[in-house]
Amino acid sequence: MEVAFPVIDLSKINGEERGATMDMIKDACENWGFFELTNHGISHELMDTVEKLTKEHYKKCMEDRFKEMVTSKGLEVVQSEITDMDWESTFFLRHLPESNLYEIPDLEYDYRKVMKQFAVELEKLAEKLLDILCENLGLEQGSLKKVFYGSKGPTFGTKVSNYPPCPKPDLIKGLRAHTEAGGIILLFQDDKVSGLQLLKDDQWIDVPPLKHSIVINLGDQLEVITNGKYKSVMHRVLAQTDGTRMSIASFYNPGSDAVIYPAPALVDKEAEKPIAYPKFVFEDYMKVYPALKFEDKEPRFEAMKTMESIVSLGPIATV
């Protein structure tokens, strides 16, 4: 029997269905690592403007560049599977701790303005979700946000991607399978062109395109902090022969000097192996992640354990 991908109406968290909604989020975090939010509080009008300007920017500034790259690498005539690159056209925006929004070339004034506004709304939603996760985990309210803050506040950025039509979708992925390194990921995806899939029980499952929804997925840091209660999950993007898929993924991550380790309240003191994950500084994790991104996450955790045994991080602050 096919299990339905979890779609959750976040507005119900304020009414009599709060308990059931919290349970749905808890189940999605424990069993999926992904869920899709409707009525999340971000205006549809703002989302429509973001989508319109993102697609216009791609057409005007990125499409030709992508086609030139494809031609220069001979990708439209490949005969065997390509495993070292992705069929995607992207740029990155940084919001926190410092914004680079006004340093990115080619962005129209209106587009910068609307992306700044969108980032503010997504940041609020991310922090609301962290508090919901705290409540579901039985952690003190605000504690996840506090861990993410480090000394300079969280790291927050957006990857704006377009996945153009691909002549050989069986030989090249839009984006190869990986888990996210960071904290909580908020995705505004195309509602017409699909392609995003997650791995559940050894099956690839489609994340349904749904107009005005925000797809949430959990990164490796939340797996560590919850001592494995919540998992970051492998996902990928399939290239499609028709249509260009828009994907705007925003990453609410710990600050670079945030110290990440399993929350003491979630460690089973009685178990033989109470702590399953290492303690490390987020920046160190990000140093090993790029080289290991498209592999299993375990080697990344192992690398942190090795580092942990070499460098003692000092006592854990309990206040």
Side-chain angles (χ1 to χ4, degrees):
M1 189 185 89
E2 198 172 313
V3 187
F5 182 85
V7 177
I8 299 168
D9 180 345
L10 195 59
S11 66
K12 291 186 174 173
I13 209 133
N14 303 317
E16 50 199 44
E17 290 180 60
R18 178 181 171 80
T21 307
M22 293 294 283
D23 285 347
M24 285 171 77
I25 294 172
K26 181 173 185 280
D27 180 72
C29 289
E30 289 178 358
N31 299 307
W32 290 82
F34 267 82
F35 51 97
E36 196 156 4
L37 292 178
T38 60
N39 297 318
H40 38 63
I42 300 176
S43 105
H44 291 180
E45 190 184 357
L46 176 60
M47 294 178 82
D48 289 343
T49 309
V50 167
E51 180 170 359
K52 177 176 171 283
L53 295 181
T54 297
K55 289 180 173 177
E56 281 175 10
H57 176 263
Y58 172 71
K59 278 259 177 279
K60 187 177 163 192
C61 302
M62 310 213 30
E63 191 170 37
D64 287 346
R65 237 179 285 167
F66 184 79
K67 285 175 178 167
E68 283 162 21
M69 182 277 292
V70 166
T71 305
S72 71
K73 294 189 187 302
L75 293 178
E76 65 273 79
V77 292
V78 292
Q79 300 299 315
S80 56
E81 189 173 2
I82 302 278
T83 56
D84 61 352
M85 65 169 292
D86 303 303
W87 188 270
E88 63 171 1
S89 168
T90 63
F91 65 94
F92 292 86
L93 301 173
R94 199 173 58 244
H95 312 299
L96 296 173
E98 285 108 28
S99 171
N100 71 347
L101 198 56
Y102 291 92
E103 295 157 29
I104 307 277
D106 305 333
L107 297 187
E108 303 268 345
Y109 172 77
D110 285 354
Y111 190 29
R112 286 181 215 270
K113 201 169 118 185
V114 84
M115 288 308 274
K116 188 176 180 180
Q117 199 184 342
F118 191 42
V120 168
E121 295 298 324
L122 287 167
E123 187 189 342
K124 279 191 246 171
L125 179 57
E127 295 188 344
K128 180 177 182 171
L129 286 167
L130 286 181
D131 280 343
I132 288 171
L133 266 50
C134 279
E135 191 175 330
N136 269 338
L137 289 161
L139 296 174
E140 199 178 313
Q141 201 63 296
S143 60
L144 285 173
K145 194 168 150 182
K146 195 168 157 189
V147 171
F148 276 43
Y149 257 61
S151 69
K152 299 189 277 288
T155 311
F156 185 47
T158 298
K159 178 186 175 190
V160 180
S161 309
N162 281 277
Y163 297 93
C166 177
K168 304 273 179 140
D170 51 331
L171 297 179
I172 185 164
K173 296 280 182 298
L175 182 58
R176 288 159 286 165
H178 62 291
T179 66
E180 298 300 347
I184 195 161
I185 297 84
L186 306 97
L187 170 70
F188 173 25
Q189 67 165 350
D190 207 291
D191 65 318
K192 294 182 181 66
V193 184
S194 62
L196 178 62
Q197 296 184 321
L198 65 94
L199 191 61
K200 180 170 166 56
D201 306 325
D202 299 324
Q203 301 276 318
W204 286 104
I205 294 173
D206 292 321
V207 177
L210 204 57
K211 195 163 182 64
H212 297 137
S213 73
I214 297 282
V215 176
I216 305 299
N217 79 297
L218 309 182
D220 295 348
Q221 307 313 305
L222 283 173
E223 178 167 334
V224 173
I225 294 166
T226 64
N227 203 33
K229 194 173 175 66
Y230 294 171
K231 294 275 195 289
S232 62
V233 168
M234 279 292 223
H235 53 286
R236 67 184 185 184
V237 177
L238 295 184
Q240 308 285 353
T241 49
D242 297 314
T244 295
R245 175 178 176 267
M246 178 198 78
S247 159
I248 301 173
S250 296
F251 303 82
Y252 187 96
N253 291 346
S256 56
D257 67 353
V259 180
I260 305 298
Y261 55 93
L266 301 177
V267 174
D268 184 355
K269 308 284 190 300
E270 311 303 312
E272 278 179 32
K273 286 200 296 188
I275 299 180
Y277 295 86
K279 177 184 177 190
F280 53 86
V281 175
F282 180 60
E283 190 174 36
D284 289 335
Y285 192 84
M286 291 312 287
K287 284 175 188 161
V288 303
Y289 178 76
L292 301 169
K293 175 175 178 176
F294 297 110
E295 296 175 27
D296 290 336
K297 58 196 162 188
E298 284 67 31
R300 307 197 287 260
F301 293 146
E302 285 307 317
M304 292 300 101
K305 280 181 186 164
T306 308
M307 207 178 280
E308 183 184 24
S309 61
I310 300 166
V311 184
S312 168
L313 291 164
I316 297 170
T318 51
V319 273

